[in-house]
Amino acid sequence: MSARILNKRQLAPEITLLDVEAPRIQRRWRAGQFIIIRPLEHSERIPLTIVDSCAERQSITMVIQAVGKTTREAVALEPGESLCDLVGPLGEPAEICTGERVLCMAGGVGVAELLPVARAYKEAGNTVVALCGARSDSYRILDEELRACCDELHWATDDGTFGFHGNVVQLLLSLAGPRSFAEGHVIGPIPMMKAAAEATREWGLKLHASLNPIMIDGTGMCGGCRVTVGGQVRFACVDGPCFDAHKVDFDEMTRRTRAYRDLEQIALQHDCRIGLGR
Ligand code: FAD
Ligand code: FES
Ligand code: MG
């Protein structure tokens, strides 16, 4: 079903927020779930996290980092235009504990994906400490929204232009140690999630990682999003996307997400006019 774009906002270089009309998803979604969109008729399908919603406008919010062909097609659309189709909510909601001191960690566009989870933790009566990483000050996103739902928000920038100078895992190690948190949620680039899992392995912390493998159908049919967790095969679109970070095989996931890099580059450079209805 197509979905009209109501609002568009540039949050940072290459990072765009879109509010789209989606009444049924707006009524049902929960923190941690995602949608699959096809921006144009000829586009491939891509998964995006549901970041927020508005009951009054019957809309949901997504935040998109333009990294390749399909994300660029999505962010080129303007208010009044429509996404060709959108399906969701997909995946299992994030597991939210109550009454604990929790760690919320994110890097890059993962900061947007963290927002609904941080909010859900806060609403469930937890003390929420968010650690967010960005390349540089100009790449920090949703600071105000996160401050409104977190007890503490700390930033790390790679170039030291805001907050801690370094990455978000170094920031974690500078602020916390074993028993600092009962539970946590990490989302962002795979090397960051892997480093967060390694750093906290002996801390007695239950750390959920929201995984971002390649997804195609989002319904458990194609096998594209296969990941290994604790030696078991799992499908991130239906069994996840959140799993125990200390049990995820991040090296396998890295290999699988890189499998089509050459083709992705060709797709970006070459405006193919055969196939897929064009
Ligand atoms: P391409 O050039 O085709 O690919 C660039 C890289 O993106 C690839 O190397 C691969 O690692 C990854 N990728 C490519 N195709 C897919 C695909 N079908 N599914 C997943 N990853 C892919 N990004 C955001 O900007 N905001 C979000 O809120 C967000 N939420 C996500 C939630 C989930 C559950 C998952 C799995 C991914 C999420 N992503 C999100 C990542 C986003 O789906 C990819 O950046 C996008 O698919 C890239 O497509 P492309 O054609 O623009 O880039
Ligand atoms: Fe096809 Fe998960 S995306 S099985
Ligand atoms: Mg692509």
Side-chain angles (χ1 to χ4, degrees):
M1 186 188 278
S2 70
R4 197 158 58 94
I5 297 170
L6 303 177
N7 177 42
K8 176 177 176 177
R9 183 154 61 100
Q10 198 68 33
L11 299 184
E14 292 143 31
I15 303 184
T16 307
L17 177 151
L18 294 181
D19 290 321
V20 301
E21 215 167 40
R24 283 191 288 181
I25 300 175
Q26 174 265 315
R27 285 196 294 274
R28 287 193 46 209
W29 78 284
R30 285 166 63 195
Q33 291 187 299
F34 63 94
I35 49 177
I36 289 202
I37 68 161
R38 191 164 55 117
L40 307 173
E41 201 184 343
H42 69 268
S43 302
E44 61 186 5
R45 291 172 169 77
I46 58 163
L48 295 169
T49 303
I50 306 169
V51 171
D52 206 348
S53 64
C54 172
E56 199 181 318
R57 287 184 299 180
Q58 301 196 318
S59 64
I60 58 167
T61 302
M62 58 190 87
V63 173
I64 308 172
Q65 181 167 29
V67 294
K69 179 159 182 166
T70 310
T71 45
R72 286 188 193 183
E73 286 171 346
V75 302
L77 293 169
E78 296 294 336
E81 294 184 296
S82 295
L83 298 170
C84 180
D85 56 53
L86 175 157
V87 62
L90 299 169
E92 290 291 329
E95 204 182 302
I96 302 293
C97 58
T98 53
E100 300 283 5
R101 181 175 162 83
V102 297
L103 166 69
C104 284
M105 261 181 96
V109 75
V111 171
E113 299 160 27
L114 182 68
L115 178 65
V117 177
R119 255 191 208 144
Y121 272 129
K122 189 65 195 165
E123 284 164 10
N126 296 287
T127 301
V128 182
V129 178
L131 309 187
C132 295
R135 224 185 295 175
S136 184
D137 187 14
S138 59
Y139 283 84
R140 290 187 313 115
I141 57 171
L142 302 176
D143 177 276
E144 202 179 305
E145 290 81 350
L146 277 164
R147 276 186 204 285
C149 66
C150 295
D151 295 276
E152 290 178 36
L153 170 62
H154 303 271
W155 282 97
T157 50
D158 295 343
D159 62 3
T161 47
F162 190 93
F164 179 85
H165 187 175
N167 66 44
V168 73
V169 179
Q170 291 165 332
L171 170 62
L172 170 69
L173 294 172
S174 78
L175 291 175
R179 290 176 296 283
S180 295
F181 302 101
E183 189 162 322
H185 189 98
V186 61
I187 186 160
I190 301 172
M192 185 277 267
M193 292 194 283
K194 181 182 175 191
E198 291 310 325
T200 58
R201 193 171 293 284
E202 311 299 331
W203 285 15
L205 157 74
K206 190 173 175 189
L207 185 65
H208 307 283
S210 184
L211 303 186
N212 50 6
I214 291 181
M215 292 185 179
I216 299 163
D217 64 334
T219 60
M221 302 289 281
C222 71
C225 67
R226 174 169 64 79
V227 289
T228 304
V229 183
Q232 307 276 312
V233 168
R234 309 297 298 277
F235 295 103
C237 67
V238 286
D239 300 324
C242 294
F243 296 96
D244 181 340
H246 297 124
K247 294 187 176 163
V248 173
D249 185 340
F250 285 107
D251 294 333
E252 178 195 60
M253 202 179 133
T254 302
R255 286 194 298 277
R256 287 180 61 81
T257 53
R258 288 183 181 160
Y260 305 104
R261 284 270 161 98
D262 293 349
L263 294 168
E264 288 156 3
Q265 278 307 311
I266 292 169
L268 193 57
Q269 286 151 14
H270 174 64
D271 184 23
C272 183
R273 290 178 183 277
I274 57 168
L276 292 173
R278 289 191 86 192

